[in-house]
Amino acid sequence: MSISQTDMATPKSILWIILFTLLFCNLSALFALDPEKSIAQYGHSLWLPMNGLPANKVNVSLQSHDGYLWFGTSAGLFRFDGVSFDSIRTEPSQKPDGSITALARSRDNGLWVGTKWTGFRHLKDGQVRRHALLEGFFNTQINALIESADHRPLIGTSIGLYRLDSTMYTPLMLEPNYVTALAIDNSGRIWAGTHEGVFILDAAGQQILKQIKQHDGLPHNNITCLHFDRQSIMWIGTANGLARVMNDKTVKTYAQGERINVVYKDKDNNLWTGTRSGLNRLSSGDTWSRFTKNDGLTDNNVLSITEDHENNLWVCTSDGLNQFKNINLTTYTTYDGLYNNFISSIVESPDNSLYFCSSQSASITKFGKDKSVFNEIPVGPVYVARDSSIWTGQTGALSKLKNGIIRQYSTRDGLPDKWISAITEDDRSLIIYFDHVGIRRFVEGRLEPYLMADGKPYPNREYMTCFHYAKDGALWIGMADSLVRIRNGVSRHFTTRDGLANNWVSSIYEDKDSTLWISSPQGGLTRYRNGEFIAFSYKDGLFTNEIYCVLGDDQGGLWLSSPVGIGHVEKKELAEFAAGHTDSLHCKVYGVQEGMKTKACFGDWQPSGWKAHDGSLWFATSKGAVKIVPGTFKSNQTPPPVHIESIRSDEIRSYRESNTTFAAGTQKLEFHYTALSFKEPQNVRFKYKIEGYDKNWVNAGTRRSAFYTNLPPGDYAFRVIACNNDGVWNTQGAAINFVLQPHFYQTPGFYILIFFLVAGAIYAIFRWRIHRHLEQERILNERIKEATAHIKTLSGLLPICANCKKIRHDDGYWEQLEGYIQTRSELQFSHGICPDCMQKLYPDYTDEESE
């Protein structure tokens, strides 16, 4: 796969890269690897071929300016975004990619890549430029790559030290010819490690200024690695140990007798070395600690170490990739002194010593002023008595640990051969529950009945899971079928009918306000206050119904252990929900990604959690004891860099360039994007939209792809923003412009053509109607002319009868005068009698009228 312009930083993104770099640096103290923690207490993730690593052997690592992690492996070069590895081709397509041995950032925001046998490469804007035999260099082994103070690449090879000047390869040092490591100090001088010691060259590489060899204090002349740290100290790894050089004079050696493959100092001044025997850390006070394959490292042969912008440490080995990160939870294991990782109970004595009890190994490990281990103790439920003694019970066995002395009681002392599931004490004695026997007092080594106010023993009931002696003197008993309160010798039972979340009770915790918090392994959480039970369950927003243990912190929060992790919820939020002010609870769950070695907590008996005198909370798991210090949690304030990696059209081609044009008829578009946060990449969330199409942002959750179908043609911009695991958003995000071409019938030209065709048709119809109107007018005129012509003939000489006044036609016929005129004109006649005819024809009427 090639690299696109979106893969490397473009000129437009340089400013954002600088801002992100400054932000990362300013926040480094928040995320640096805490030197007070052991290596095993860091968050540790690993990658192997079985979970996505493309090759077993990872030779070299680097984070580029744009935030991606790069890994050179035995199978080629790979780019990593925290979720998936993307293969980057460095060879012509017909050749397989070989082993990558060196990586360096270039000043143009590209990468320099060294290979094992075929020279080196430069990657920039999706283009790979080869520097090998055909390009004027050598098909030689590249052991080290770095840019000089004036940004010219320096190449440490198996045949000498070279510098690339434009297109010229200038040899700087050919004797000794095997260059293994390179570094640049504050003055720009070049430090070259060889098989014959360290050679210091001037910034131009023209003169060897100094040599440092074994007789100067180095453990060995065979130099394996160099690292110039932030305190201007040069660290030199050799085949026989580590050396520190200050001011070119003082040489101090460490770890003699061991081959140092890589050396690196992180932002919190931890010095890390990778050897063939594991990973080592030098912390303050010159204290060394080691982490090996037996502790969880993928392999003991450590080849490369890189720290990313969030201060995660990436450790590459011959058989896998490791990530170490600072986390808010701390897990204590055998690495930190526990006798066994399977922890079933945790308690603290009045002298502030912590006791970690393991039922698997029948042992108790004490952490206090001194560390000690007590073996062969049958461990079950544990209780700390007022006299500082530690009590634990098992089937037919009860053990007391005080002042380092163990006193055990068994069936020989009168104990029933039954399981002890709960222990507590009141003002009189210890109180113990024996399965199928009942509650008994343990007084001076003897069992006595637990009597009620009526003088009768408490009746044997269902299995008891835990005791809690409340501040008001009441004894609360968690059972498999109810909750019991005994006050002044009178008992009362509570069940779900009274408001319990479930009848099976696993633990009881009383906070400073005397509120009881009751957990259930089947129903969730119950609050008891002022005589009222309020239940909270999964349907209300609780992260699970299977709660083993409840502890409260000093900041108003509750911590709940479960088989799916340790959940946190604020008591204030529980109160608001109970009052009906909110519709749902919001919980934060801590598991493996947050630092636990396993998300499953222990919950078979109590106390499976403990609040220590300093406010820290401890929870028992099968893979160590988890420590939580509320109020000290550090959030990730670094917004993740966002990249759009590709666009696929109709599932055929993949595009990476901005301003890509898609052909007319493209129906499906897929946008693939990522955000580079490596602390909890699975919790990175995204929003996206297409400007010009979407009105609002689309919430994609953790999905890293977007799909669109049947977009109308047009010019668009796809934008995506992201937030890290703690909800800090990069609102600038990333954007890519694209054009979706229209069909010919969707183009403006087509619409213009249609306009003119319609206009032409309208004009034609208009012309036809005008023509028709003119034709009708012409016919009418002809008729008028014809009628006029007839009327004009009336003005000539016409034969007319002197008596009846008929007109004679040209063909000889006679016709009434008015009929003749009507047929030849538009005149109509009406009949009347003129006065003369009236007098002549009707003289009588005429006379009467005159009178």
Side-chain angles (χ1 to χ4, degrees):
M1 183 176 292
S2 62
I3 307 173
S4 73
Q5 293 176 349
T6 57
D7 300 328
M8 295 294 188
T10 62
K12 293 181 180 179
S13 64
I14 291 176
L15 178 59
W16 278 103
I17 291 173
I18 294 173
L19 291 176
F20 275 124
T21 302
L22 291 174
L23 183 58
F24 284 132
C25 293
N26 290 335
L27 295 174
S28 63
L30 291 178
F31 306 111
L33 295 174
D34 186 353
E36 299 301 320
K37 291 185 176 182
S38 70
I39 301 175
Q41 290 174 345
Y42 297 138
H44 181 205
S45 302
L46 53 88
W47 285 264
L48 296 165
M50 65 183 66
N51 66 336
L53 188 67
N56 290 75
K57 187 177 182 182
V58 184
N59 300 316
V60 62
S61 55
L62 175 145
Q63 186 172 38
S64 55
H65 296 287
D66 55 11
Y68 282 99
L69 286 173
W70 298 78
F71 297 104
T73 75
S74 56
L77 181 64
F78 295 90
R79 189 186 64 185
F80 186 51
D81 66 351
V83 174
S84 59
F85 294 88
D86 194 7
S87 176
I88 306 299
R89 294 283 296 167
T90 59
E91 295 291 341
S93 58
Q94 66 272 18
K95 292 184 179 181
D97 280 323
S99 182
I100 304 300
T101 55
L103 291 172
R105 285 186 288 265
S106 63
R107 63 173 176 175
D108 60 358
N109 297 319
L111 282 182
W112 297 105
V113 181
T115 70
K116 190 171 184 179
W117 300 116
T118 58
F120 70 107
R121 312 284 186 267
H122 183 241
L123 274 60
K124 176 73 169 103
D125 294 341
Q127 303 300 317
V128 179
R129 182 180 177 185
R130 290 167 49 87
H131 296 267
L133 189 62
L134 293 178
E135 292 76 30
F137 194 56
F138 304 97
N139 284 349
T140 185
Q141 180 176 346
I142 306 298
N143 298 319
L145 286 169
I146 197 171
E147 283 200 346
S148 64
D150 58 359
H151 303 296
R152 290 183 289 181
L154 302 173
I155 310 110
T157 77
S158 56
I159 57 173
L161 175 62
Y162 291 82
R163 183 180 64 214
L164 177 60
D165 298 314
S166 184
T167 59
M168 300 293 294
Y169 306 96
T170 303
L172 301 183
M173 188 178 71
L174 300 181
E175 289 293 337
N177 64 355
Y178 201 91
V179 178
T180 56
L182 293 170
I184 305 294
D185 63 20
N186 287 336
S187 61
R189 295 181 305 171
I190 303 167
W191 293 59
T194 74
H195 281 181
E196 299 180 20
V198 177
F199 292 78
I200 305 176
L201 289 74
D202 63 3
Q206 297 178 352
Q207 182 181 1
I208 296 176
L209 303 176
K210 186 175 182 179
Q211 301 178 31
I212 304 177
K213 296 190 175 185
Q214 193 168 358
H215 60 74
D216 299 306
L218 292 184
H220 200 278
N221 280 336
N222 186 355
I223 307 303
T224 55
C225 55
L226 294 170
H227 176 68
F228 190 71
D229 69 19
R230 296 171 182 84
Q231 289 75 39
S232 301
I233 299 172
M234 186 66 73
W235 296 89
I236 304 172
T238 75
N240 192 43
L242 177 68
R244 183 188 70 184
V245 178
M246 297 180 65
N247 303 321
D248 301 349
K249 298 177 181 179
T250 306
V251 177
K252 182 176 180 179
T253 59
Y254 302 83
Q256 293 196 45
E258 191 167 32
R259 180 184 178 89
I260 309 298
N261 294 331
V262 59
V263 58
Y264 183 84
K265 182 176 282 190
D266 67 24
K267 294 184 179 71
D268 205 37
N269 293 325
N270 297 297
L271 183 74
W272 299 86
T273 64
T275 72
R276 292 178 177 178
S277 303
L279 177 68
N280 302 311
R281 184 189 69 180
L282 177 63
S283 298
S284 58
D286 283 354
T287 303
W288 284 95
S289 55
R290 172 169 290 190
F291 194 82
T292 68
K293 188 174 181 179
N294 292 334
D295 303 311
L297 199 66
T298 56
D299 189 74
N300 282 339
N301 191 23
V302 177
L303 303 175
S304 177
I305 300 173
T306 294
E307 187 177 18
D308 66 29
H309 289 160
E310 292 175 309
N311 298 80
N312 305 300
L313 200 72
W314 298 86
V315 178
C316 310
T317 74
S318 291
D319 191 20
L321 173 66
N322 303 262
Q323 179 199 27
F324 294 91
K325 58 186 177 182
N326 209 19
I327 50 179
N328 290 315
L329 307 186
T330 304
T331 300
Y332 285 74
T333 64
T334 54
Y335 186 93
D336 306 291
L338 294 182
Y339 184 78
N340 190 280
N341 283 336
F342 189 98
I343 303 301
S344 51
S345 296
I346 303 170
V347 294
E348 184 183 34
S349 63
D351 66 354
N352 299 336
S353 296
L354 285 165
Y355 292 82
F356 302 92
C357 308
S358 174
S359 59
Q360 185 180 79
S361 61
S363 66
I364 298 177
T365 305
K366 174 188 174 184
F367 276 23
K369 294 179 180 179
D370 56 355
K371 289 184 181 180
S372 54
V373 176
F374 304 94
N375 290 315
E376 299 181 0
I377 299 179
V379 173
V382 182
Y383 179 74
V384 181
R386 294 186 181 94
D387 64 357
S388 300
S389 58
I390 310 295
W391 294 83
T392 181
Q394 259 279 4
T395 302
L398 181 66
S399 301
K400 174 184 178 181
L401 173 61
K402 185 176 182 180
N403 299 326
I405 300 174
I406 301 173
R407 171 73 167 93
Q408 294 185 338
Y409 303 86
S410 66
T411 55
R412 293 190 301 270
D413 302 293
L415 268 64
D417 191 19
K418 296 296 183 180
W419 167 250
I420 295 175
S421 64
I423 305 173
T424 188
E425 70 175 329
D426 60 12
D427 295 337
R428 290 183 54 194
S429 68
L430 284 181
I431 301 172
I432 305 173
Y433 173 77
F434 293 89
D435 189 24
H436 290 92
V437 174
I439 302 177
R440 295 292 184 269
R441 290 187 178 277
F442 189 72
V443 183
E444 296 180 354
R446 302 185 315 275
L447 292 180
E448 296 181 358
Y450 183 86
L451 301 178
M452 304 298 288
D454 58 4
K456 297 180 181 180
Y458 183 83
N460 181 27
R461 290 184 54 83
E462 186 61 45
Y463 180 77
M464 296 184 182
T465 59
C466 61
F467 288 139
H468 174 69
Y469 200 74
K471 298 174 185 177
D472 63 0
L475 175 63
W476 291 84
I477 305 172
M479 304 180 70
D481 69 343
S482 63
L483 176 68
V484 177
R485 182 188 66 199
I486 300 176
R487 179 184 291 162
N488 299 323
V490 178
S491 65
R492 180 179 177 183
H493 290 258
F494 302 94
T495 65
T496 53
R497 291 190 299 270
D498 301 292
L500 280 179
N502 188 269
N503 288 337
W504 187 294
V505 175
S506 55
S507 73
I508 304 169
Y509 169 75
E510 185 175 9
D511 65 21
K512 62 182 180 180
D513 299 324
S514 299
T515 300
L516 293 183
W517 299 92
I518 303 147
S519 66
S520 169
Q522 297 178 351
L525 179 68
T526 305
R527 184 189 73 184
Y528 178 75
R529 186 169 62 191
N530 300 326
E532 181 185 19
F533 291 95
I534 299 292
F536 309 92
S537 65
Y538 182 78
K539 65 180 178 60
D540 303 318
L542 202 64
F543 69 101
T544 181
N545 276 341
E546 194 170 351
I547 307 298
Y548 294 157
C549 176
V550 185
L551 294 178
D553 61 32
D554 295 330
Q555 289 76 36
L558 289 180
W559 298 81
L560 317 174
S561 69
S562 78
V564 296
I566 300 172
H568 173 257
V569 62
E570 292 292 329
K571 287 191 286 186
K572 180 180 179 181
E573 184 173 356
L574 292 168
E576 290 178 350
F577 178 83
H581 298 156
T582 58
D583 296 330
S584 180
L585 301 173
H586 299 87
C587 302
K588 169 69 176 177
V589 183
Y590 297 86
V592 175
Q593 292 295 331
E594 291 76 24
M596 298 177 65
K597 305 300 181 183
T598 175
K599 65 181 181 180
C601 296
F602 186 86
D604 289 350
W605 53 78
Q606 298 301 327
S608 59
W610 190 269
K611 181 179 180 180
H613 71 282
D614 60 1
S616 61
L617 308 178
W618 294 82
F619 290 95
T621 79
S622 61
K623 293 185 178 180
V626 176
K627 179 183 179 182
I628 296 174
V629 184
T632 65
F633 280 20
K634 299 172 182 176
S635 62
N636 185 358
Q637 294 299 312
T638 305
V642 182
H643 296 277
I644 299 170
E645 295 192 318
S646 66
I647 311 177
R648 292 181 61 86
S649 62
D650 289 336
E651 302 177 355
I652 298 175
R653 276 193 67 187
S654 180
Y655 302 86
R656 294 173 178 261
E657 300 79 11
S658 191
N659 299 315
T660 297
T661 299
F662 295 98
T666 300
Q667 295 183 345
K668 298 179 181 179
L669 290 178
E670 299 178 17
F671 300 87
H672 296 269
Y673 46 82
T674 190
L676 305 176
S677 178
F678 298 98
K679 291 193 73 68
E680 295 179 29
Q682 75 283 354
N683 291 327
V684 173
R685 292 177 287 122
F686 300 88
K687 292 180 181 180
Y688 65 82
K689 69 176 178 178
I690 290 183
E691 292 181 344
Y693 182 76
D694 293 315
K695 293 182 179 179
N696 301 308
W697 289 97
V698 179
N699 189 350
T702 59
R703 192 178 72 248
R704 299 182 179 229
S705 56
F707 304 89
Y708 285 85
T709 58
N710 299 318
L711 279 175
D715 295 354
Y716 298 106
F718 176 80
R719 288 195 62 201
V720 58
I721 58 177
C723 72
N724 63 19
N725 56 298
D726 284 320
V728 177
W729 285 90
N730 175 356
T731 55
Q732 176 69 19
I736 187 170
N737 299 318
F738 67 96
V739 178
L740 189 59
Q741 286 186 333
H743 289 283
F744 75 93
Y745 53 79
Q746 296 173 312
T747 62
F750 178 79
Y751 294 134
I752 292 173
L753 176 62
I754 293 299
F755 171 78
F756 280 111
L757 289 176
V758 171
I762 294 174
Y763 180 73
I765 293 173
F766 174 76
R767 293 295 302 169
W768 174 76
R769 294 193 56 155
I770 292 296
H771 175 75
R772 182 180 178 186
H773 177 72
L774 292 175
E775 181 67 18
Q776 290 175 344
E777 185 178 6
R778 183 187 63 79
I779 294 173
L780 179 60
N781 289 336
E782 288 181 355
R783 289 180 178 178
I784 292 173
K785 289 179 180 179
E786 181 180 355
T788 304
H790 284 293
I791 292 173
K792 287 181 179 180
T793 59
L794 296 180
S795 61
L797 180 65
L798 289 176
I800 186 169
C801 175
N803 181 41
C804 65
K805 306 302 180 182
K806 290 183 178 180
I807 301 296
R808 189 183 69 183
H809 291 267
D810 294 338
D811 54 6
Y813 291 99
W814 292 86
E815 183 180 0
Q816 291 291 338
L817 175 63
E818 60 270 23
Y820 182 85
I821 294 174
Q822 280 183 346
T823 57
R824 289 162 174 79
S825 69
E826 294 181 357
L827 295 176
Q828 297 292 328
F829 290 89
S830 62
H831 293 82
I833 299 176
C834 67
D836 293 340
C837 292
M838 185 67 181
Q839 187 176 7
K840 180 179 178 179
L841 296 175
Y842 304 103
D844 295 336
Y845 290 97
T846 303
D847 293 340
E848 291 177 359
E849 290 178 359
S850 61
E851 292 177 1

